Amino acid sequence: MATHFSIVAWRIPWLEEPGGLQSLGLQKGKGSSSISSDVSSSTDHTPTQAQKNVATSEDSDLSMRTLSTPSPALICPPNLPGFQNGRGSSTSSSSITGETVAMVHSPPPTRLTHPLIRLASRPQKEQASIERLPDHAMVQVFSFLPTNQLCRCARVCRRWYNLAWDPRLWRTIRLTGETINVDRALKVLTRRLCQDTPNVCLMLETVSVSGCRRLTDRGLYTIAQCCPELRRLEVSGCYNISNEAVFDVVSLCPNLEHLDVSGCSKVTCISLTREASIKLSPLHGKQISIRYLDMTDCFVLEDEGLHTIAAHCTQLTHLYLRRCVRLTDEGLRYLMIYCTSIKELSVSDCRFVSDFGLREIAKLESRLRYLSIAHCGRVTDVGIRYVAKYCGKLRYLNARGCEGITDHGLEYLAKNCAKLKSLDIGKCPLVSDTGLECLALNCFNLKRLSLKSCESITGQGLQIVAANCFDLQMLNVQDCEVSVEALRFVKRHCKRCVIEHTNPAFF
């Protein structure tokens, strides 16, 4: 026998007043179903009297703690049935606006209800299936959910509310979306997480708001004030933040190790605030514990700013300065004075970096494992010789677009960096089969090789590489004049190799 559902619409007096439906984000006669929020991506809403009536109509056994606890939530999914003229309709043609919002509310009642809709009957097995899971299993399931979905789960019932706010689930906050009001979202979330330890979120270690363009210094200041145990901060693409906000974070979060400010064009330096510098003892050395720093596309970063960064962040091991076009060899000299533990360094598209800069980089010696100098047009064989001579444990080198590199530089690199696993020398027109032969006879562990647009490369050089580098997994020969027979030879000897090519006869 089919199960019948009945929809009961309760008459609520204040909904009949002008603006009643609008206070819940519902428009009469239209299928829009969104929640009026404390945190909105486009407009700021003021709590209405209608919402206050709903909050105070909860069961009387709710404690003062739960009634005063904010819990952010996001909009209902787009496939939620809408309302037309006060009646339930599953064929509504209207759509959700798609903006991300959050709302401060008390925990839901024990049973799953909706202020306007109640399902009169539901199969017993469907109700009991997920309720049979023990708390530790539910927490494990919740651990795979992003922040916005976790907030939605907190609105289902009282049990889910308590489980969704388990401290173990809130070591990380991840928010995405260009229109979200991320400043207010961070304020609401940190306020809820601070309820057991007033004004401090001791469990929060990671905050990722990359791509949230509405993030401002106010949002970062909230993080700095409430999250002293923060270890990882990602704000890439948030171009409204400035140096002062970054200074606050690194000064008030002493355990911060990972900082990504790529695309933040207003950030020109990483340093402590003046107040923090005064409070530190001379033994501390006014240093910051950051080990990973990504400043890609920070166009206004100059040598002096890099000098300040190096002086304060002496524990750096990973530094990415891609497209910081104002940097020169002088900035790299400052960097090597203070940061002697760097393992990965990228100065791609820094057009003022030359062989003198590579001579400074070579001072890292065997500690350097990853180096990217792509499109540094002033680099020649001289700079490559410096790196090859002193950085014998180099594993990755990207020299694409360095047109001054020839077979001599490649030969010196192959003989001194025999453990090289990845090499990109695309768009180096002076590299020929002679250089490839030296590479193949010395770097047997090579796994990735890019020769894109190397005009002097032929099929003979590729066959020598394939005959010696059996572990090759990726080969890029796009825009190279190589025959189909040579490509087939590579495929026979390197069975796991993926070949990127532009020869329509080979497939």
Side-chain angles (χ1 to χ4, degrees):
M1 180 180 295
T3 303
H4 297 281
F5 297 90
S6 64
I7 300 178
V8 180
W10 296 336
R11 181 176 180 181
I12 303 176
W14 53 266
L15 284 177
E16 299 178 358
E17 299 176 0
L21 288 175
Q22 285 77 1
S23 65
L24 281 180
L26 300 175
Q27 295 181 356
K28 187 174 181 181
K30 296 183 180 181
S32 177
S33 177
S34 62
I35 300 175
S36 181
S37 66
D38 224 15
V39 178
S40 174
S41 62
S42 58
T43 58
D44 297 333
H45 299 282
T46 303
T48 62
Q49 184 66 27
Q51 292 172 325
K52 181 177 179 182
N53 292 340
V54 172
T56 57
S57 65
E58 296 291 344
D59 297 337
S60 59
D61 61 339
L62 292 178
S63 63
M64 292 301 294
R65 173 184 173 184
T66 56
L67 281 176
S68 61
T69 299
S71 174
L74 302 183
I75 61 172
C76 301
N79 58 357
L80 184 67
F83 286 91
Q84 291 185 349
N85 299 324
R87 298 182 179 179
S89 173
S90 60
T91 59
S92 174
S93 60
S94 61
S95 60
I96 304 299
T97 59
E99 66 177 5
T100 304
V101 298
M103 173 175 137
V104 176
H105 59 82
S106 58
T110 304
R111 299 187 62 185
L112 179 61
T113 60
H114 191 281
L116 297 179
I117 302 178
R118 177 172 60 85
L119 294 179
S121 63
R122 185 181 292 271
Q124 183 66 23
K125 292 183 179 180
E126 185 177 350
Q127 286 184 350
S129 58
I130 197 167
E131 293 178 358
R132 293 177 180 176
L133 291 176
D135 288 353
H136 68 87
M138 291 293 295
V139 171
Q140 182 67 19
V141 172
F142 286 168
S143 66
F144 294 97
L145 299 178
T147 301
N148 59 340
Q149 297 292 343
L150 194 58
C151 292
R152 291 182 182 181
C153 289
R155 302 179 58 228
V156 172
C157 63
R158 186 178 301 179
R159 182 193 176 209
W160 283 33
Y161 176 87
N162 294 329
L163 293 177
W165 288 107
D166 188 298
R168 291 171 293 179
L169 300 176
W170 291 96
R171 298 184 183 277
T172 300
I173 291 179
R174 296 188 185 276
L175 299 174
T176 57
E178 296 183 358
T179 59
I180 181 175
N181 190 340
V182 67
D183 289 348
R184 183 170 292 183
L186 290 172
K187 183 177 181 180
V188 172
L189 287 170
T190 53
R191 183 173 60 187
R192 172 59 180 83
L193 297 174
C194 288
Q195 83 168 14
D196 295 326
T197 52
N199 302 323
V200 179
C201 300
L202 295 179
M203 76 288 288
L204 190 59
E205 297 181 352
T206 300
V207 174
S208 176
V209 289
S210 297
C212 297
R213 298 185 177 182
R214 294 183 64 183
L215 178 69
T216 65
D217 291 351
R218 184 182 300 175
L220 280 189
Y221 185 73
T222 299
I223 296 174
Q225 290 289 322
C226 300
C227 308
E229 298 298 323
L230 191 69
R231 296 181 179 274
R232 184 185 183 104
L233 177 62
E234 299 175 357
V235 291
S236 63
C238 303
Y239 50 74
N240 288 320
I241 64 174
S242 65
N243 284 341
E244 289 70 20
V246 177
F247 292 175
D248 286 333
V249 172
V250 298
S251 299
L252 298 177
C253 303
N255 297 322
L256 187 66
E257 296 180 348
H258 182 114
L259 179 60
D260 183 356
V261 291
S262 57
C264 301
S265 55
K266 295 182 181 179
V267 177
T268 62
C269 184
I270 306 293
S271 177
L272 295 170
T273 60
R274 184 176 180 181
E275 294 77 8
S277 299
I278 295 175
K279 292 179 181 179
L280 290 177
S281 62
L283 295 177
H284 189 281
K286 300 181 180 180
Q287 296 177 3
I288 302 172
S289 58
I290 294 177
R291 298 178 182 273
Y292 179 105
L293 178 60
D294 190 346
M295 298 192 69
T296 299
D297 292 321
C298 292
F299 307 112
V300 292
L301 176 64
E302 298 180 347
D303 291 340
E304 191 60 33
L306 186 57
H307 186 186
T308 304
I309 293 172
H312 286 83
C313 305
T314 58
Q315 301 180 44
L316 278 175
T317 58
H318 297 70
L319 179 60
Y320 305 96
L321 304 171
R322 306 180 188 93
R323 292 180 291 278
C324 295
V325 294
R326 299 187 182 183
L327 293 181
T328 68
D329 297 333
E330 186 69 10
L332 295 179
R333 187 178 70 84
Y334 292 141
L335 186 65
M336 296 306 123
I337 293 175
Y338 298 98
C339 304
T340 58
S341 301
I342 293 180
K343 297 179 181 180
E344 296 191 7
L345 176 64
S346 175
V347 289
S348 298
D349 295 282
C350 297
R351 59 178 180 270
F352 294 119
V353 172
S354 66
D355 293 334
F356 294 102
L358 264 62
R359 183 180 64 180
E360 297 297 326
I361 293 174
K363 294 178 181 179
L364 294 172
E365 299 180 344
S366 60
R367 293 178 292 275
L368 187 65
R369 303 299 177 89
Y370 172 107
L371 177 63
S372 179
I373 52 174
H375 303 289
C376 294
R378 300 188 180 190
V379 171
T380 66
D381 288 341
V382 177
I384 296 297
R385 287 174 65 94
Y386 278 122
V387 173
K389 182 178 181 179
Y390 295 102
C391 305
K393 294 185 178 181
L394 192 67
R395 299 289 188 274
Y396 176 100
L397 177 63
N398 183 357
R400 173 176 294 193
C402 298
E403 298 182 355
I405 297 178
T406 68
D407 290 334
H408 297 292
L410 190 58
E411 178 183 358
Y412 206 85
L413 178 69
K415 291 181 178 180
N416 289 273
C417 300
K419 296 183 179 180
L420 200 65
K421 292 184 177 181
S422 179
L423 177 64
D424 188 342
I425 48 175
K427 298 183 179 180
C428 295
L430 301 180
V431 174
S432 66
D433 293 341
T434 303
L436 280 187
E437 182 177 356
C438 293
L439 184 68
L441 295 177
N442 291 276
C443 301
F444 303 108
N445 296 323
L446 199 64
K447 296 182 181 298
R448 301 175 65 87
L449 178 62
S450 178
L451 305 170
K452 182 178 180 180
S453 302
C454 289
E455 302 170 355
S456 302
I457 296 295
T458 67
Q460 182 180 355
L462 291 185
Q463 292 179 5
I464 297 175
V465 171
N468 292 273
C469 302
F470 302 107
D471 294 332
L472 196 65
Q473 297 177 4
M474 194 283 294
L475 176 64
N476 188 340
V477 288
Q478 293 177 339
D479 302 320
C480 294
E481 296 294 333
V482 293
S483 62
V484 176
E485 290 74 17
L487 295 177
R488 290 174 179 170
F489 184 90
V490 173
K491 197 64 179 177
R492 284 197 304 269
H493 286 75
C494 304
K495 307 218 178 264
R496 294 184 298 172
C497 183
V498 176
I499 303 176
E500 299 180 13
H501 62 91
T502 52
N503 192 328
F506 178 75
F507 53 90

